[in-house]
């Protein structure tokens, strides 16, 4: 039977939510073997078994903190994949996921594709977005093991309970460790990661000032959303580049994307095209964004967004 390995990305001793969609993708191809690098596999086994992980490998290496030594993490992940006879190795297309998977692919001498939208394990074909989202390209992944990361949230997690056994594997990295992270500083914990968010509310040029993003922050707080920005808003200094969505910013795929005062440029669309539901708020009924949205509100964002926040607050109170 085909065995699909999944790098179980974690943070603060919890499995990242977007890993569950990757497990669902893997479960469509065969038996799922999860690889944990933070030493807490036993704490995750019940939860991951509910999504189809039948074996969880608790990877460790003598005197190694994988969080601070990405080269060691990639090497040990590859050794785990070899030891468990994995046919394909998947993970979340996050900065950490892409980093560790790329290092594992080199160690495995395997072909690799990052930021995939879909994959078929029978035909060994993966799909990726190209030309700012105007085309979807299909790639054959050749013979032998392949490595791929999946764009966060493109695959809806589906429960599929199986018994999950935990096995330990302690191996030394078979690579020279040249890179050691000395310190990790946490960003603002109130700011949600755009690429992982299942709801995003984005402000465009008409936000007019950095302070005005507070109306989006308030609404995001009620929705459990992350706040994004168009490049026009970032270039004008209203928002940080980390918030930029689009061709030269973050690629996102939330369940709900609320675009406030965005015209709908191809470059912005390239970054959020795979959102499940797009809602646009724009004063111009002819704005191109309306041709690409599921729902459109022809109105001033400075009226609609606070009203939406008020209604959400009322609902919560009620
Ligand atoms: C190589 C390249 C890469 C790029 N990469 C990116 C990228 O990664 N991300 C990105 O976003 N852009 C990118 N751009 C820029 C892109 O082409 C657009 O210029 C930009 O997306 C426009 O931002 P916007 O929609 O906020 O502003 P605008 O195009 O100015 O649109 C503002 C919209 O708000 C509406 N509006 C005005 N007032 C209100 C109000 N009070 N309430 C509601 N609606 C209102 C207007 O009707 C208008 O439709 C890139 C461009 C190039 C050339």
């Amino acid at each position: 039977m085909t065995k699909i390995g999944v790098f179980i990305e974690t943070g603060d001793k919890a499995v990242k939510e977007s890993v569950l969609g990757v497990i669902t993708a893997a479960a469509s191809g065969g038996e799922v073997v999860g690889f944990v690098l933070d030493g807490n596999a036993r704490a995750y086994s019940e939860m991951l078994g509910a999504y189809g992980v039948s074996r969880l490998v608790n990877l460790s290496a003598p005197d190694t903190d994988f969080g601070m030594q990405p080269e060691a993490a990639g090497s040990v992940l590859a050794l785990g994949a070899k030891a468990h006879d994995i046919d394909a190795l998947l993970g979340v297309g996050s900065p950490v996921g892409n980093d560790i998977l790329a290092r594992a692919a080199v160690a495995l001498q395997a072909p690799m594709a990052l930021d995939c939208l879909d994959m078929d394990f029978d035909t060994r074909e993966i799909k990726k977005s190209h030309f700012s989202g105007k085309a979807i390209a299909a790639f054959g992944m050749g013979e032998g093991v392949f490595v791929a990361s999946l764009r966060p949230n493109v695959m809806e997690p589906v429960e599929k309970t199986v018994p999950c056994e935990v096995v330990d594997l302690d191996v030394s990295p078979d690579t020279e460790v040249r890179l050691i992270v000395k310190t990790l500083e946490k960003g603002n914990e109130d700011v949600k990661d755009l690429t992982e968010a299942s709801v995003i509310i984005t402000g465009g040029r008409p936000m007019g000032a950095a302070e005005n993003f507070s109306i989006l922050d308030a609404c995001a707080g009620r929705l459990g959303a992350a706040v994004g920005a168009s490049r026009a808003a970032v270039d004008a200094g209203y928002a940080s580049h980390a918030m930029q969505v689009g061709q030269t910013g973050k690629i996102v795929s939330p369940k709900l994307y609320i675009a406030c005062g965005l015209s709908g440029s191809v470059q912005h669309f390239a970054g959020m095209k795979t959102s499940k539901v797009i809602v646009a708020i724009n004063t111009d009924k002819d704005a191109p964004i309306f041709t690409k949205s599921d729902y459109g509100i022809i109105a001033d964002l400075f009226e609609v967004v606070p009203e939406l926040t008020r209604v959400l607050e009322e609902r919560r109170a009620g």
Side-chain angles (χ1 to χ4, degrees):
M1 189 184 188
T2 308
K3 272 199 226 162
I4 316 287
V6 175
F7 165 44
I8 308 292
E9 194 177 328
T10 58
D12 289 334
K13 295 191 177 159
V15 173
K16 288 216 165 177
E17 222 178 299
S18 45
V19 171
L20 301 180
V22 178
I23 294 170
T24 296
S28 71
E31 185 188 337
V32 184
V33 181
F35 294 96
V36 174
L37 286 169
D38 74 356
N40 292 311
R42 280 175 181 78
Y44 308 142
S45 61
E46 192 183 335
M47 188 264 240
L48 294 174
Y51 287 88
V53 177
S54 57
R55 189 183 303 163
L56 205 49
V57 185
N58 209 21
L59 291 167
S60 60
D63 304 319
T64 308
D65 177 352
F66 294 125
M68 303 306 238
Q69 297 181 27
E71 290 164 320
S75 167
V76 167
L77 182 58
L79 291 169
K82 273 186 198 158
H84 286 270
D85 229 356
I86 293 305
D87 296 293
L89 180 62
L90 312 183
V92 178
S94 63
V96 169
N98 287 340
D99 180 22
I100 307 295
L101 288 170
R103 294 176 194 282
V106 172
L108 290 166
Q109 292 285 290
M112 178 185 69
L114 301 181
D115 193 38
C116 301
L117 301 178
D118 201 4
M119 48 196 64
D120 183 323
F121 297 98
D122 292 331
T123 58
R124 299 176 60 83
E125 204 174 81
I126 62 98
K127 291 201 171 126
K128 275 174 68 90
S129 167
H130 272 262
F131 305 118
S132 303
K134 289 197 202 83
I136 304 289
F139 294 87
M141 297 305 280
E143 303 276 303
V145 61
F146 72 85
V147 179
S149 74
L150 209 61
R151 184 176 292 185
N153 301 327
V154 285
M155 187 68 76
E156 191 72 32
V158 178
E159 289 195 27
K160 178 189 179 185
T161 303
V162 294
C164 178
E165 62 158 346
V166 179
V167 293
D168 294 299
L169 182 64
D170 188 59
V171 278
S172 296
D174 64 357
T175 182
E176 192 191 340
V177 173
R178 295 155 300 181
L179 174 73
I180 297 181
V181 180
K182 293 280 185 199
T183 54
L184 273 178
E185 263 178 48
K186 282 200 170 179
N188 183 349
E189 293 194 20
D190 296 336
V191 178
K192 283 197 151 206
D193 181 3
L194 276 177
T195 51
E196 299 267 326
S198 57
V199 181
I200 294 176
I201 182 163
T202 300
R205 196 193 307 271
M207 294 309 297
E211 305 82 79
N212 292 340
F213 267 80
S214 61
I215 65 163
L216 301 190
D217 292 336
C219 191
R222 296 289 158 268
L223 287 166
V227 177
S230 71
R231 178 160 162 180
V234 171
D235 287 351
Y238 309 153
S240 71
H241 184 258
M243 292 164 70
Q244 185 177 315
V245 173
Q247 188 181 320
T248 44
K250 301 254 166 75
I251 307 288
V252 298
S253 198
K255 287 184 186 148
L256 173 62
Y257 191 88
I258 308 175
C260 307
L262 273 86
S263 54
S265 66
V266 283
Q267 293 90 354
H268 188 84
F269 203 61
M272 39 66 81
K273 189 186 167 137
T274 48
S275 304
K276 308 282 178 305
V277 174
I278 301 171
V279 177
I281 305 167
N282 198 303
T283 43
D284 177 6
K285 69 173 175 42
D286 297 320
I289 188 96
F290 286 135
T291 63
K292 301 163 178 169
S293 313
D294 299 284
Y295 299 93
I297 303 170
I298 304 166
D300 187 335
L301 75 94
F302 290 100
E303 288 171 15
V304 176
V305 176
E307 181 60 11
L308 177 59
T309 310
R310 192 189 63 74
V311 171
L312 289 166
E313 267 165 10
E314 231 173 58
R315 282 211 185 159
R316 183 183 277 192

